Amino acid sequence: MHDERRRIEERVERLHNQRIKPVIHAAAVPLEVEAWQAPGEPVPFAEAAGASYEPFAKGTPWGPPWGTTWFRMRGQVPAGWAGRRVEAVIDLGFVGDWPGNQAEGLVHLADGTPLKAVNPLNQYVPIANPAAGGEEIHYLVEAASNPDILADDFAGPTPLGDVLTAGDQPLYTFRRADIAVLDEDVWHLDLDLQVLRELMVELGEHDPRRHEITHALDRAMDLLDLDDISGSAAAVRAALKPVLSRPAHASAHVVSGVGHAHIDSAWLWPIRETKRKTARTFSNVTSLADEYEEFVFACSQAQQYAWVRDNHPQVWARIQESVKKGQWAPVGGMWVEADGNLPGGEAIARQLIHGKRFFIEHFGIETKGVWLPDSFGYTAAYPQLARLAGNEWFLTQKISWNQTNKFPHHTFWWEGIDGTRIFTHFPPVDTYNACFSGEEMARAVRNYSEKGGATRSLAPFGWGDGGGGPTREIMERARRLRDLEGSAKVVVEHPDAFFKAAREEYPDAPVWVGELYLELHRATYTSQARTKQGNRRSEHRMREAELWATTAALHAPGYAYPYDRLDRLWKTVLLHQFHDILPGSSIAWVHREAEAEYARVAAELEELTAEAVAALGGGGPRVFNTSPYDRAEVVRTADGIPVYVRVPASGSAPLAPVEPDQPVTVTGRVLDNGLVRVELAEDGTLASVRDLRAGREILAGQGNLLRLHTDLPNYWDAWDIDKHYRNRYTDLLDTESVTVVEADPLVGAVRVERAFGKGSRIAQTITLRAGSPRIDFETEIDWHEAEKILKVGFPVDIRAAHSSAEIQFGHVQRPTHTNTSWEAARFEVSGHRWVHLGEPGYGVAVINDSTYGHDVSRTVREDGGTTTTVRLSLVRAPRVPDPGADQGSHRFTYALLPGASIEDAVAEGYALNLPLRVADSAGAPDPVVSVDGEGVTVEAVKLADDGSGDVVVRLYESRGGRAAGVLRTGFALAGAQVTDLLERPLETADTAGGAVPVALRPFQILTLRLRRAEES
């Protein structure tokens, strides 16, 4: 047989695209359209319904950036269309190749009932099937003219990312608003051809199935009457039925399709727009569920449900009904799909607590898995936290984006730092917006790493980010691919069903130990430093407010624990941990609002903490220590006078001076407190840091060396830092001044000021205090650079085989060598409050109060010694998607801690992030809880969420070894239970002797619920 594939394929392509697709809607009549431009921000339906509308013609430009235009559309179904499937088709002027992230509209009936959204790939609104003829149409369409920020693949900076700079020129041109007949024979033929053509081109050149499909298509096209596509479509479909009916091979891979609509809670649009995106998408989904009984839609992010509940109660009611029918699957159990690295440990716990509780309360469903497809790496603390919240599985997708190394598994057990394992899956389809194309199905099979051990994978399908979610066309593809030779088999089902089947068939799945590091998007540890600082400060202020509110509730008569306010504030903090807000990868509008929200959170938490402390009564200044470690350090009085004090962990003490062992001396540029001696060079860097206790020099080069690097990644400016940034840099050695600013027996400080770059300035106050080896670098930056990154380095004379960086409820060790491509790819990594470098018998830590990104490297000197250098990433200057990212003022502190053990690093990390509070108070109650036993660290103290008055304490082992201790209470203890994160009992704890003995494995998290004895 002659090879005529090219002729046939080109023939089918032309007929499909040019003759069949254009007549899917067989007949159409235009709707009468009028428009009203809402002023400013979006308005409620009632206001729009009462507005004055003007006639509006097809082809008219509309929609200033971030504007809202309401269209009133009216018409009548022609009587002659009785018995046909009739729908409205609305094209707002969709542009580009994205299915979302641009113009979107929500269609309402005249009474305000939301019907369905219109999106680029979802332009229809059902009217009647079958129509009676004569139906009156009266719609009000709320159309959002959101700019396509991603246009031209982020080719350059754009002012469109903030309503303050976007201008008012119309973005879109209205194309169509018709009542139309859906020709179902033609529509189904179009789908038949899509599936067969895509399958055909994915099959091998010598695969008989490919040739079978090719010639079947050729014969079918002979039956197509070009003068009567509609009339001949059924015959063409009949001719194709045999090749569409051939069953899949018995060994065919099984794809579990799960409806999905990944909606970023903010990204290239502000939070206010996400509230509307969710309503549009959820309207589409509930409408689709009415059409396809097998449809199942998985939806995460309790926050988005709450927005719909509060703003669109009719859509919320439809969601509740879909959940009851089993077509809507709440998943994820988190408040939002948070960043996987940056939130603190307690914050991730609260993400899971608030998310799972929401779904239990509103749907009676306890979610079983963590659904986090799109985040930029995943902390090794996740397995334990997920399991403690009652989860059985974990799903993500993003690791498939690795630049260097292909992750070796798709289905596996993920083991966290404490040894907890959770069953985990990466969909080999490599997308969380699948549409069941032939290319996707072939990729899923080709890519699947578990061949020979397992046979199934999961594919989330549907258009996200304003694309409207799954479509009827995707569902029709799924039906055709249910059992089709040459393709993977598609079954639409609940993700719990997939994970159950996957685990049963693959009980001995491989194990991956430690963090899931994404070899991409490493700059998300640093971009938008003020957003990150707002998060860090908020997390610690929440801890402070809860601790002292609990103390006041136990000891101050008449004080009421602020349950509702704390709940609301936590949810605000959790929202802003979303994986495009906290990482710094959103438009300017998002980060401008985030900074304002963090300021509001800070003000209210300060008020709550002050109220709690004041409730304990007045009587003189006291020092309050929120840290879980005893403190002996310098604080300042209201007059700024330094005082050295000792304060117990989670407790308070009078502001009474205690004499330190040795005072601080300042001689020229040398600071000495008897523990360490710090010498500054003329250029303001550290020339020497000598640990007087150990008798050794710490530095092996210039310490506190600020280095300005050129930072232009190949793509994704706010997200990425590429390795070539290291090749071009300037060391900031020029100084304007090096000045001693304090020479008190308790505090010595030198201020170094520099100007650099394009008008930027940096001022650092380098401080050494009595009684502490910690050297603080209080830093003020006025930043005006573009496409740069500022790092600060400390080369230390330590041969460290690995670095240790704090993560949630513990730390991870990372090799300092680059033996393999896996280590070499970790040229920028994340950590929380500290990084530790050590060799047997000695260590050094670098502490910070708001920095997450860092790198660690080592070299061998000519003298044979090893220099290990840790560098913090302080601030960046990407221009896309926010051209003004990080511009302006920054204030933060980092510190060098010589002679530090891991336990020292933990304690000083808390201390730097939880400053001692001086307040007028007569109250001197015992700490709510105290712990004897090294390595047992209290992370949270609060009252139980159920209002019972029980005290909940969350603690963990922080050194990486086994720990034993005793937890004592500052109140009469009646009983204790070990609980899960949701404060539900797991087992009864021993309370003999009025205390709770605690034994923890390395990095174990333990939540205790303590019942108070009734007062006599």
Side-chain angles (χ1 to χ4, degrees):
M1 181 183 292
H2 298 298
D3 186 355
E4 294 195 278
R5 284 177 301 153
R6 180 175 177 181
R7 174 191 65 80
I8 296 170
E9 289 173 8
E10 290 177 349
R11 178 194 186 196
V12 175
E13 180 181 15
R14 180 174 187 183
L15 290 174
H16 187 192
N17 292 335
Q18 296 183 12
R19 299 303 177 91
I20 296 170
K21 284 183 178 294
V23 296
I24 288 175
H25 286 100
V29 295
L31 285 159
E32 175 190 331
V33 180
E34 298 171 298
W36 172 68
Q37 173 70 47
E41 287 296 284
V43 302
F45 176 86
E47 182 176 341
S52 297
Y53 286 75
E54 300 291 336
F56 190 87
K58 182 176 72 172
T60 301
W62 72 278
W66 306 112
T68 301
T69 302
W70 285 82
F71 294 103
R72 186 159 62 195
M73 301 178 182
R74 290 182 284 200
Q76 186 176 47
V77 175
W81 291 2
R84 310 290 295 275
R85 184 171 180 175
V86 179
E87 53 197 31
V89 181
I90 301 170
D91 185 345
L92 299 172
F94 303 116
V95 297
D97 58 358
W98 270 56
N101 188 35
Q102 50 167 295
E104 305 168 51
L106 180 59
V107 181
H108 304 75
L109 292 176
D111 64 1
T113 302
L115 282 182
K116 183 182 171 296
V118 288
N119 315 89
L121 298 182
N122 199 342
Q123 299 180 15
Y124 76 97
V125 181
I127 293 176
N129 183 23
E135 290 93 341
E136 295 285 343
I137 308 302
H138 187 173
Y139 294 153
L140 279 171
V141 182
E142 181 192 32
S145 48
N146 301 330
D148 183 4
I149 304 293
L150 198 57
D152 301 321
D153 291 331
F154 284 149
T158 173
L160 292 173
D162 196 329
V163 70
L164 301 179
T165 58
D168 58 4
Q169 292 301 306
L171 296 176
Y172 300 100
T173 299
F174 195 94
R175 288 204 186 101
R176 181 180 187 186
D178 294 333
I179 303 172
V181 173
L182 179 68
D183 190 322
E184 295 194 73
D185 282 334
V186 177
W187 180 60
H188 281 291
L189 175 58
D190 167 58
L191 290 158
D192 292 346
L193 291 174
Q194 287 183 42
V195 169
L196 287 172
R197 288 179 59 201
E198 292 170 3
L199 173 59
M200 174 182 68
V201 299
E202 292 297 330
L203 293 170
E205 181 179 342
H206 302 293
D207 191 321
R209 175 65 166 159
R210 175 168 182 160
H211 293 269
E212 177 190 35
I213 294 172
T214 301
H215 288 278
L217 288 170
D218 193 31
R219 291 190 297 271
M221 291 303 99
D222 291 338
L223 301 175
L224 187 68
D225 185 344
L226 301 186
D227 296 320
D228 187 8
I229 301 294
S230 177
S232 58
V236 178
R237 291 198 69 212
L240 293 174
K241 186 174 182 180
V243 286
L244 279 168
S245 301
R246 292 283 293 272
H249 297 303
S251 60
H253 184 75
V254 178
V255 172
S256 293
V258 179
H260 184 46
H262 179 79
I263 305 176
D264 289 314
S265 289
W267 178 31
L268 304 180
W269 50 86
I271 287 172
R272 70 93 145 138
E273 195 55 34
T274 312
K275 295 177 182 179
R276 301 202 292 177
K277 285 179 182 284
T278 53
R280 298 178 197 122
T281 295
F282 294 175
S283 295
N284 284 356
V285 170
T286 53
S287 176
L288 191 66
D290 292 337
E291 294 185 61
Y292 294 88
E293 62 180 12
E294 74 272 28
F295 177 57
V296 176
F297 179 73
C299 185
S300 65
Q301 305 198 73
Q303 172 68 88
Q304 295 185 0
Y305 287 76
W307 285 332
V308 173
R309 177 199 62 195
D310 296 341
N311 299 316
H312 292 86
Q314 292 163 305
V315 178
W316 171 249
R318 284 154 55 181
I319 291 171
Q320 291 180 306
E321 186 60 30
S322 290
V323 171
K324 290 177 184 176
K325 292 192 297 184
Q327 292 186 284
W328 187 296
V331 293
M334 297 177 70
W335 192 248
V336 296
E337 289 185 10
D339 180 83
N341 288 309
L342 305 178
E346 188 62 23
I348 292 183
R350 303 300 175 99
Q351 290 281 0
L352 293 161
I353 291 165
H354 284 292
K356 293 202 64 151
R357 280 209 183 120
F358 184 93
F359 295 133
I360 292 170
E361 176 184 349
H362 293 286
F363 303 119
I365 289 175
E366 178 160 358
T367 55
K368 294 183 179 180
V370 177
W371 181 280
L372 197 55
D374 179 24
S375 191
F376 312 137
Y378 307 90
T379 171
Y382 247 124
Q384 183 179 193
L385 285 164
R387 293 299 298 271
L388 285 173
N391 292 297
E392 300 172 1
W393 54 260
F394 188 97
L395 178 134
T396 185
Q397 176 66 64
K398 206 69 170 192
I399 302 299
S400 68
W401 287 38
N402 274 4
Q403 274 183 324
T404 305
N405 298 286
K406 178 178 170 57
F407 194 82
H409 313 300
H410 284 105
T411 301
F412 59 100
W413 289 97
W414 180 19
E415 182 178 312
I417 53 174
D418 72 310
T420 298
R421 292 179 178 179
I422 191 165
F423 196 70
T424 302
H425 182 67
F426 292 168
V429 71
D430 279 356
T431 180
Y432 41 81
N433 296 302
C435 65
F436 299 133
S437 68
E439 190 275 333
E440 287 176 350
M441 292 298 94
R443 180 171 67 243
V445 175
R446 181 175 62 249
N447 198 29
Y448 188 54
S449 298
E450 316 309 321
K451 297 183 186 75
T455 63
R456 61 185 66 238
S457 65
L458 185 145
F461 66 88
W463 308 119
D465 287 338
T471 64
R472 61 187 181 185
E473 287 78 15
I474 300 177
M475 286 301 299
E476 290 292 338
R477 284 172 173 267
R479 285 181 170 180
R480 287 160 174 78
L481 294 170
R482 186 178 298 150
D483 192 12
L484 181 62
E485 183 186 358
S487 173
K489 295 189 288 189
V490 173
V491 54
V492 177
E493 63 180 352
H494 195 294
D496 286 347
F498 161 77
F499 275 95
K500 181 177 184 294
R503 184 169 173 176
E504 287 176 352
E505 78 163 354
Y506 203 29
D508 57 346
V511 177
W512 180 268
V513 178
E515 66 183 329
L516 294 175
Y517 177 83
L518 177 63
E519 296 174 0
L520 194 72
H521 294 356
R522 303 168 181 90
T524 58
Y525 315 144
T526 304
S527 295
Q528 299 284 2
R530 284 184 293 268
T531 297
K532 290 175 170 58
Q533 186 176 75
N535 174 73
R536 178 78 71 84
R537 297 281 191 276
S538 296
E539 290 178 343
H540 289 81
R541 286 181 172 121
M542 290 297 311
R543 174 197 180 103
E544 186 177 31
E546 287 184 335
L547 174 63
W548 301 116
T550 302
T551 305
L554 296 178
H555 299 290
Y559 177 83
Y561 189 83
Y563 290 101
D564 292 341
R565 294 177 72 184
L566 289 170
D567 180 83
R568 173 174 47 79
L569 288 165
W570 259 121
K571 287 173 179 173
T572 299
V573 174
L574 299 180
L575 166 60
H576 288 85
Q577 291 175 343
F578 179 75
H579 65 250
D580 275 308
I581 303 178
L582 183 52
S585 48
S586 289
I587 57 174
W589 192 348
V590 172
H591 292 289
R592 172 169 58 81
E593 290 192 331
E595 290 176 35
E597 279 296 295
Y598 284 131
R600 285 190 284 271
V601 167
E604 187 167 357
L605 286 173
E606 175 62 29
E607 179 183 301
L608 286 175
T609 302
E611 289 174 356
V613 170
L616 296 171
R622 290 185 70 83
V623 184
F624 291 81
N625 174 20
T626 308
S627 164
Y629 289 85
D630 294 343
R631 307 264 285 271
E633 63 185 68
V634 175
V635 297
R636 294 186 185 272
T637 66
D639 298 327
I641 299 171
V643 179
Y644 188 74
V645 297
R646 298 182 187 277
V647 194
S650 304
S652 66
L655 183 61
V658 177
E659 288 298 320
D661 292 336
Q662 287 185 258
V664 177
T665 62
V666 181
T667 308
R669 294 189 304 274
V670 178
L671 310 175
D672 190 322
N673 68 356
L675 302 174
V676 296
R677 184 172 67 242
V678 181
E679 180 181 346
L680 274 70
E682 290 186 7
D683 60 18
T685 61
L686 300 185
S688 171
V689 174
R690 188 160 187 83
D691 187 336
L692 302 176
R693 302 160 300 174
R696 62 183 285 172
E697 173 63 41
I698 303 307
L699 296 180
Q702 291 170 296
N704 194 41
L705 177 62
L706 293 158
R707 180 168 285 179
L708 186 67
H709 292 264
T710 296
D711 178 24
L712 183 65
N714 294 343
Y715 197 55
W716 300 101
D717 291 20
W719 292 258
D720 287 350
I721 180 170
D722 288 338
K723 209 170 202 173
H724 53 251
Y725 87 89
R726 295 178 172 179
N727 302 335
R728 187 175 179 85
Y729 58 84
T730 300
D731 289 340
L732 304 186
L733 299 176
D734 295 336
T735 62
E736 292 185 339
S737 63
V738 180
T739 309
V740 174
V741 293
E742 192 161 15
D744 185 272
L746 294 180
V747 182
V750 176
R751 185 173 177 86
V752 181
E753 299 189 12
R754 309 178 191 273
F756 63 94
K758 298 181 179 180
S760 297
R761 299 183 61 83
I762 183 167
Q764 291 192 304
T765 302
I766 302 167
T767 304
L768 184 67
R769 298 176 176 86
S772 172
R774 197 181 86 195
I775 307 153
D776 287 359
F777 301 84
E778 299 169 54
T779 303
E780 304 166 40
I781 302 178
D782 186 17
W783 181 250
H784 298 287
E785 304 306 299
E787 296 169 348
K788 297 289 192 293
I789 185 170
L790 181 65
K791 282 182 167 268
V792 62
F794 293 94
V796 296
D797 187 11
I798 287 179
R799 183 170 175 80
H802 60 262
S803 64
S804 299
E806 187 189 41
I807 63 169
Q808 301 83 351
F809 295 106
H811 59 267
V812 291
Q813 295 182 339
R814 301 179 177 111
T816 55
H817 62 73
T818 55
N819 282 358
T820 73
S821 59
W822 292 89
E823 285 101 23
R826 286 175 164 84
F827 59 84
E828 182 81 2
V829 291
S830 66
H832 284 213
R833 291 170 291 212
W834 53 266
V835 181
H836 183 268
L837 303 174
E839 62 186 22
Y842 196 80
V844 171
V846 177
I847 318 291
N848 73 83
D849 71 356
S850 58
T851 301
Y852 295 87
H854 66 276
D855 68 85
V856 179
S857 60
R858 68 177 186 177
T859 59
V860 176
R861 305 186 299 273
E862 290 186 2
D863 65 3
T866 298
T867 300
T868 306
T869 301
V870 58
R871 301 196 308 156
L872 301 181
S873 300
L874 301 180
V875 65
R876 295 187 72 227
R879 301 178 68 208
V880 177
D882 174 7
D886 279 320
Q887 298 300 298
S889 299
H890 301 267
R891 296 176 65 93
F892 51 83
T893 299
Y894 55 87
L896 181 67
L897 186 65
S901 65
I902 290 290
E903 189 166 29
D904 294 331
V906 174
E908 290 300 321
Y910 278 108
L912 185 62
N913 283 269
L914 291 165
L916 295 174
R917 170 182 290 267
V918 179
D920 182 70
S921 177
D926 292 335
V928 176
V929 294
S930 59
V931 179
D932 299 331
E934 294 183 353
V936 182
T937 300
V938 175
E939 177 62 16
V941 178
K942 58 189 286 293
L943 290 192
D945 291 339
D946 62 4
S948 62
D950 290 350
V951 175
V952 171
V953 179
R954 192 147 25 250
L955 44 82
Y956 69 106
E957 195 290 313
S958 58
R959 297 183 304 174
R962 294 186 180 275
V966 177
L967 181 142
R968 294 181 170 83
T969 62
F971 55 90
L973 181 65
Q977 291 179 320
V978 176
T979 74
D980 66 3
L981 291 185
L982 278 69
E983 302 171 9
R984 300 176 296 195
L986 299 175
E987 60 182 85
T988 300
D990 180 10
T991 56
V996 182
V998 175
L1000 301 176
R1001 66 177 182 271
F1003 300 129
Q1004 181 182 355
I1005 302 166
L1006 183 69
T1007 303
L1008 292 172
R1009 184 174 181 134
L1010 309 174
R1011 183 163 51 87
R1012 291 184 278 166
E1014 294 184 8
E1015 297 181 2
S1016 57

